Amino acid sequence: MSAERRPSADTDAQEQIPETGIPLKKLFIKTYGCQMNVYDSQRMTDALTADGYELTDSADGADLVILNTCHIREKAAEKIYSELGRLKPLAEAKKRAGGKMTVGVAGCVAQAEGGEILRRQPMVDLVVGPQSYHRLPQMARDAASGAPAVETDFPLEDKFDHLPRERRVTGPTSFLTVQEGCDKFCAFCVVPYTRGAETSRPVAQVIEEAERLAAQGVVEISLLGQNVNAYHGVDPDGRETGLGALLRRLSRIDGVKRLRYTTSHPNDMDDELIAAHADIAEVMPYLHLPVQSGSDQVLQAMNRRHTAEAYVRLIEKIRTARPDIALSGDFIVGHPGETEEDFQQTLALVREVGYSQAYSFKYSPRPGTPAADREQVAEDEKTDRLARLQELLNAQQMAFQEACIGRTLKVLLEKPGRKPNQLVGRSPYLQAVHVEVDPSLSGTIVDVAIEAAGPNSLAGRLVETAT
Ligand code: 5AD
Ligand code: SF4
């Protein structure tokens, strides 16, 4: 999906800190995992560019390299250690040239492994957990002068109060983290341990960030949170505000034309949020609502705290409010205790709901989580179930794509496509759409008549609208 929306080199960046003549230091950030990490990498970039760095698109020659890591599945820590191994020759080359490449590990692996990373890989100079990114400029300074730094505690101060308010925008869309952490403790999931307890940013802080984005030309904002629909920020009157009410406030900001949010838990999908889909034009008809399994027995083993039936009824309610809503989800196959019959119930749920697209994974034991110590499903069984589930999900996705042919969709044009005079944008349903148009239309929402569909994108022609 949008994981490729990483910060990229800004070719117009100044080469020197204005008025000082000191050359800018080069920063390279590699982002793994979810959109929250993409957002965090942008905020780390904001903090470090305010401290004399400029972003570059290669680790080669960089003064500071940060790996912003993910711990959710499969040998995450091992992947990071091999990536660090690959950086070693570049760090040595930098040293031979008389410089120093400071190497940092951020994100969920940093949080989970802490100082152990420095012991296993001495080339690492700093380890920083997601709640301490505002301390990064100081840590980078300490590390560059030879003092390794580890910050994985949950600090008392709010990082958002200490990160620069001004954000660098890179197009008409932007992420905005409104909520972090999770209190749900699903039996398979490491997030409550790496990202900590659920917290929500205050309403005024979110509005201010959104207003600044809109003032810089952002027209679509995606609100992010590990459990975003559990949002309960306080408003300036001290009242708790849910995500539905927050969306309503954000929709009134001048220039904000589209709002999205991800990722949600079914149990936090309250009536106010469902109503937001029905009557706020800016809230896009797309919802990522993971169910993980269609079997009550497995849902219970996962500690999801709802039944398959309750999920299906919830989807019906959401579809009553917004009939054209496109649904996305996450599924895990081979969770401990899952039998073939349980898996059949997942397939049945998928058939009943109908997804426009979805993510599916083989269960991967995460050390320290309850399900990791249970009896495991055989690997070949997991592989086989995943293939069968993906066949069904892919067929649903293709059917959804093809059903768009002949329709006219509003597309927010985001960036150049591969062909000259082609732009790529997103439909309300989050599909990528290619269209041949004047590049000056980038950043605007246009009507596109859809003419062709592939599994991952649509193509169409600009509809001339009377002005
Ligand atoms: N194994 C496999 N998939 C997982 N996910 C989370 N933890 C695990 C795990 N241990 C999936 C869930 C979640 C998505 C972000 O990643 O489907 O919704
Ligand atoms: Fe992990 Fe999501 Fe469950 Fe929280 S709700 S524990 S983030 S899967």
Side-chain angles (χ1 to χ4, degrees):
M1 220 165 60
S2 326
E4 80 256 18
R5 289 188 201 168
R6 281 200 292 123
S8 59
D10 179 354
T11 45
D12 295 323
Q14 290 172 293
E15 303 276 271
Q16 298 183 337
I17 302 177
E19 288 159 32
T20 64
I22 300 171
L24 289 171
K25 291 167 282 178
K26 295 210 179 305
L27 162 70
F28 175 68
I29 304 188
K30 182 160 182 177
T31 310
Y32 300 80
C34 68
Q35 292 153 327
M36 306 262 312
N37 269 10
V38 176
Y39 175 85
D40 285 347
S41 291
Q42 290 168 351
R43 301 313 304 270
M44 287 191 253
T45 305
D46 293 337
L48 288 161
T49 47
D51 206 53
Y53 285 88
E54 68 171 340
L55 204 54
T56 163
D57 58 4
S58 156
D60 199 358
D63 298 282
L64 175 58
V65 173
I66 295 176
L67 304 181
N68 190 8
T69 63
C70 169
H71 204 254
I72 199 108
R73 286 177 296 272
E74 302 294 355
K75 306 188 177 69
E78 297 317 310
K79 267 191 218 158
I80 297 308
Y81 288 114
S82 11
E83 183 67 34
L84 288 167
R86 281 192 289 277
L87 282 176
K88 219 167 191 172
L90 299 182
E92 282 160 5
K94 179 94 183 166
K95 196 170 171 187
R96 279 197 301 276
K100 169 165 171 64
M101 177 191 282
T102 300
V103 176
V105 179
C108 292
V109 174
Q111 189 63 43
E113 302 267 303
E116 175 62 21
I117 299 178
L118 296 182
R119 280 184 286 280
R120 262 188 76 176
Q121 184 45 276
M123 75 178 288
V124 174
D125 303 282
L126 65 93
V127 176
V128 58
Q131 295 314 319
S132 303
Y133 292 153
H134 57 297
R135 297 189 179 174
L136 204 44
Q138 182 61 48
M139 291 175 75
R141 261 178 261 139
D142 294 346
S145 55
V150 179
E151 292 266 10
T152 50
D153 289 340
F154 288 82
L156 285 177
E157 77 273 11
D158 176 2
K159 70 175 167 198
F160 292 110
D161 285 337
H162 296 269
L163 284 166
R165 294 207 157 156
E166 213 47 60
R167 284 186 54 192
R168 214 175 66 111
V169 308
T170 50
T173 65
S174 183
F175 293 134
L176 199 176
T177 293
V178 299
Q179 180 279 336
E180 290 186 285
C182 182
D183 293 341
K184 298 276 189 296
F185 290 93
C186 297
F188 53 81
C189 187
V190 78
V191 165
Y193 310 93
T194 56
R195 292 277 180 158
E198 227 169 80
T199 55
S200 296
R201 293 177 69 186
V203 174
Q205 211 186 58
V206 173
I207 302 277
E208 191 199 325
E209 191 169 328
E211 282 173 345
R212 282 173 186 268
L213 291 171
Q216 292 182 85
V218 168
V219 294
E220 176 180 303
I221 298 180
S222 296
L223 306 183
L224 302 181
Q226 265 93 27
N227 222 201
V228 72
N229 62 341
Y231 178 82
H232 58 275
V234 284
D235 73 5
D237 299 326
R239 277 186 308 242
E240 277 210 353
T241 304
L243 190 65
L246 183 71
L247 286 165
R248 212 169 281 278
R249 309 264 302 249
L250 291 169
S251 71
R252 294 192 196 117
I253 296 176
D254 261 358
V256 172
K257 301 204 175 86
R258 288 182 162 196
L259 291 165
R260 304 181 185 276
Y261 60 94
T262 197
T263 281
S264 298
H265 190 287
N267 290 359
D268 292 314
M269 209 64 218
D270 64 17
D271 289 347
E272 196 176 24
L273 183 52
I274 296 174
H277 279 282
D279 57 38
I280 304 176
E282 288 79 5
V283 175
M284 289 294 101
Y286 173 91
L287 175 63
H288 180 68
L289 194 62
V291 64
Q292 315 292 358
S293 167
S295 148
D296 287 347
Q297 195 259 122
V298 174
L299 287 169
Q300 196 172 12
M302 288 176 163
N303 191 31
R304 292 288 291 181
R305 299 170 210 236
H306 64 77
T307 60
E309 168 80 10
Y311 178 84
V312 172
R313 295 286 90 82
L314 176 62
I315 297 295
E316 281 169 2
K317 200 166 162 185
I318 296 165
R319 281 202 164 124
T320 306
R322 181 76 207 221
D324 70 330
I325 200 156
L327 287 166
S328 165
D330 291 340
F331 296 88
I332 296 177
V333 299
H335 188 272
E338 185 188 74
T339 63
E340 172 63 24
E341 200 188 323
D342 293 317
F343 174 66
Q344 288 297 334
Q345 290 171 13
T346 298
L347 294 179
L349 180 140
V350 171
R351 280 190 209 102
E352 185 166 0
V353 170
Y355 289 89
S356 69
Q357 65 115 58
Y359 303 90
S360 47
F361 314 101
K362 283 196 252 185
Y363 170 74
S364 139
R366 306 284 75 211
T369 58
D373 299 328
R374 300 182 194 156
E375 197 182 326
Q376 301 294 313
V377 171
E379 190 59 29
D380 56 350
E381 197 56 59
K382 288 192 215 173
T383 306
D384 179 59
R385 287 179 196 167
L386 186 66
R388 285 185 283 154
L389 175 59
Q390 289 187 338
E391 194 183 320
L392 175 60
L393 290 169
N394 290 343
Q396 290 193 343
Q397 179 167 335
M398 200 58 226
F400 183 80
Q401 294 284 92
E402 281 173 349
C404 292
I405 297 176
R407 288 182 65 186
T408 295
L409 300 179
K410 295 229 173 280
V411 175
L412 169 57
L413 299 169
E414 288 179 25
K415 56 183 180 193
R418 260 183 249 125
K419 297 185 196 153
N421 283 336
Q422 188 192 53
L423 291 178
V424 188
R426 297 266 168 191
S427 76
Y429 311 111
L430 205 61
Q431 298 148 295
V433 183
H434 298 260
V435 54
E436 268 173 44
V437 281
D438 186 330
S440 69
L441 286 176
S442 191
T444 64
I445 297 174
V446 296
D447 283 326
V448 177
I450 304 301
E451 296 173 327
N456 297 311
S457 68
L458 301 172
R461 135 187 86 73
L462 185 70
V463 177
E464 300 299 339
T465 44
T467 47

